[in-house]
Amino acid sequence: VDASEVKETSYARAFGRRREATYTVLPEWCHIVWSTASISWACIVTKLPIVAGLMLAQLYFMDDWHSHSVASALLVPSAFIVLMYPAALFLVLCMDIGSKWMIIGRRKPGSYSWDSSSYCQRWQLYLSLAPLRSFEGHGADLLDMFRGSQYLVWYFRALGARIGKRVCLYPNGADPMMTEPELVTIQDGACIDEAALIAHLNTQGVFTLNRLHVGEQCVMRSFSRLQQSAVMEPRSVLGEHTLILPADRVQEGEWRQGWPAGRGYVIATPLRKGDLPALLTTGKEETNTVKVQQ
């Protein structure tokens, strides 16, 4: 293929012809400095609880360690260190959430290319701050400590996600967790297991963003994936290893399975709103016939 016939990507145009872009494209060395600074700051935050705890212990003893018992010399620094970890966690969460709103702002549906929109660059700058969430060490993300809890729901609400009541998010973790929270709507009683909610599509440097909708009492099981513009109607289920293509719609009460998913099983008499909590609390059972949608 002739090199002249190869279509130039928007990413190549942004960095190859930086002056022609509609915004200020940072040169490569700026991204290197930013990433290095982010990793360095993450390393500092990792050791911050221990260092801060020892410094507070030094202030408590007023540099007079010898006049105190061995027990107090061990317990007081340990207590300060333990107290510093929640403080460091709160600091990291504030930096993570604050940097998202400062750098990216609120995402809106649309197409964003490297050479005409600053979104892609701001997105990369924000991603470079991800090591901050690994302050507890061993490269583990602090969000893994909140799996399946209300804390994780509050976190994504702070990032702009619309999440209803009694929602369980990622009890077994996920890689990645929802990438564009403000474009995601999850209604009451839904459960998202180790699944992917992806509201973007990257095509040669052009990012297309669109909304995702997960209805009431929907279930996304392990390794299922919902792509941008897709909709799960109430009480629908995605089985393991299931892909819902962009702009597809899973009907109410439908079960999908496959990569990509074909039409699956449909509950003939789907549960009405509020029936599932009643079944769980009263212990009553209801038999639903299942048929294959033609």
Side-chain angles (χ1 to χ4, degrees), residues 85-153:
Y85 272 99
L89 172 63
F90 179 76
L91 175 63
V92 169
L93 288 175
C94 289
M95 294 177 61
D96 182 40
I97 297 172
S99 62
K100 184 270 175 186
W101 291 108
M102 291 178 62
I103 297 175
I104 294 183
R106 182 175 293 276
R107 298 180 178 93
K108 297 180 179 180
S111 295
Y112 305 90
S113 61
W114 266 96
D115 59 333
S116 62
S117 173
S118 63
Y119 169 77
C120 298
Q121 178 173 264
R122 290 183 284 114
W123 174 68
Q124 285 293 334
L125 294 175
Y126 172 66
L127 286 184
S128 298
L129 298 175
L132 285 174
R133 296 202 305 264
S134 302
F135 83 98
E136 76 272 20
H138 306 290
D141 196 311
L142 66 86
L143 298 182
D144 290 332
M145 297 188 294
F146 301 149
R147 294 178 181 180
S149 69
Q150 184 65 24
Y151 297 108
L152 194 58
V153 173

Side-chain angles (χ1 to χ4, degrees), residues 53-65 77 80:
L54 292 177
M55 293 178 66
L56 289 174
Q58 184 179 13
L59 292 176
Y60 176 82
F61 289 118
M62 300 297 293
D63 292 331
D64 187 15
W65 296 77
F80 279 125

Side-chain angles (χ1 to χ4, degrees), residues 282-293:
T282 62
K284 296 180 180 179
E285 296 182 356
E286 179 177 339
T287 303
N288 293 291
T289 59
V290 178
K291 67 179 182 179
V292 178
Q293 180 175 356

Side-chain angles (χ1 to χ4, degrees), residues 25-290:
V25 180
L26 298 177
E28 288 83 351
W29 66 266
C30 288
H31 289 275
I32 295 174
V33 171
W34 176 265
S35 299
T36 304
S38 300
I39 295 173
S40 301
W41 178 243
C43 294
I44 293 173
V45 174
T46 300
K47 305 301 180 184
L48 182 61
I50 298 177
V51 175
L54 292 177
M55 293 178 66
L56 289 174
Q58 184 179 13
L59 292 176
Y60 176 82
F61 289 118
M62 300 297 293
D63 292 331
D64 187 15
W65 296 77
H66 300 288
S67 61
H68 295 81
S69 64
V70 176
S72 62
L74 293 175
L75 293 177
V76 171
S78 300
F80 279 125
I81 292 174
V82 170
L83 291 175
M84 285 299 102
Y85 272 99
L89 172 63
F90 179 76
L91 175 63
V92 169
L93 288 175
C94 289
M95 294 177 61
D96 182 40
I97 297 172
S99 62
K100 184 270 175 186
W101 291 108
M102 291 178 62
I103 297 175
I104 294 183
R106 182 175 293 276
R107 298 180 178 93
K108 297 180 179 180
S111 295
Y112 305 90
S113 61
W114 266 96
D115 59 333
S116 62
S117 173
S118 63
Y119 169 77
C120 298
Q121 178 173 264
R122 290 183 284 114
W123 174 68
Q124 285 293 334
L125 294 175
Y126 172 66
L127 286 184
S128 298
L129 298 175
L132 285 174
R133 296 202 305 264
S134 302
F135 83 98
E136 76 272 20
H138 306 290
D141 196 311
L142 66 86
L143 298 182
D144 290 332
M145 297 188 294
F146 301 149
R147 294 178 181 180
S149 69
Q150 184 65 24
Y151 297 108
L152 194 58
V153 173
W154 291 339
Y155 171 80
F156 283 112
R157 282 177 180 169
L159 293 180
R162 299 174 181 86
I163 304 176
K165 301 177 182 178
R166 304 185 307 277
V167 172
C168 180
L169 292 179
Y170 310 117
N172 294 307
D175 186 20
M177 295 185 182
M178 62 180 78
T179 53
E180 292 84 17
E182 59 268 69
L183 299 179
V184 177
T185 298
I186 304 175
Q187 294 186 326
D188 297 350
C191 180
I192 313 298
D193 200 354
E194 194 173 354
L197 292 165
I198 307 298
H200 72 267
L201 179 66
N202 181 13
T203 307
Q204 296 184 341
V206 179
F207 271 72
T208 303
L209 303 181
N210 234 318
R211 300 190 183 277
L212 289 173
H213 183 88
V214 179
E216 294 182 1
Q217 299 178 8
C218 288
V219 176
M220 294 180 64
R221 304 187 70 171
S222 298
F223 307 113
S224 59
R225 184 183 181 98
L226 198 67
Q227 287 290 123
Q228 72 278 4
S229 303
V231 175
M232 291 184 67
E233 295 186 357
R235 292 165 290 282
S236 56
V237 177
L238 300 185
E240 288 82 353
H241 297 278
T242 298
L243 171 64
I244 301 300
L245 296 174
D248 199 358
R249 177 179 291 269
V250 184
Q251 302 297 325
E252 181 176 355
E254 187 176 34
W255 293 53
R256 291 283 192 96
Q257 174 68 55
W259 196 281
R263 293 293 178 179
Y265 292 98
V266 181
I267 298 179
T269 56
L271 297 174
R272 297 182 302 275
K273 181 178 180 181
D275 283 354
L276 185 57
L279 290 174
L280 294 177
T281 55
T282 62
K284 296 180 180 179
E285 296 182 356
E286 179 177 339
T287 303
N288 293 291
T289 59
V290 178

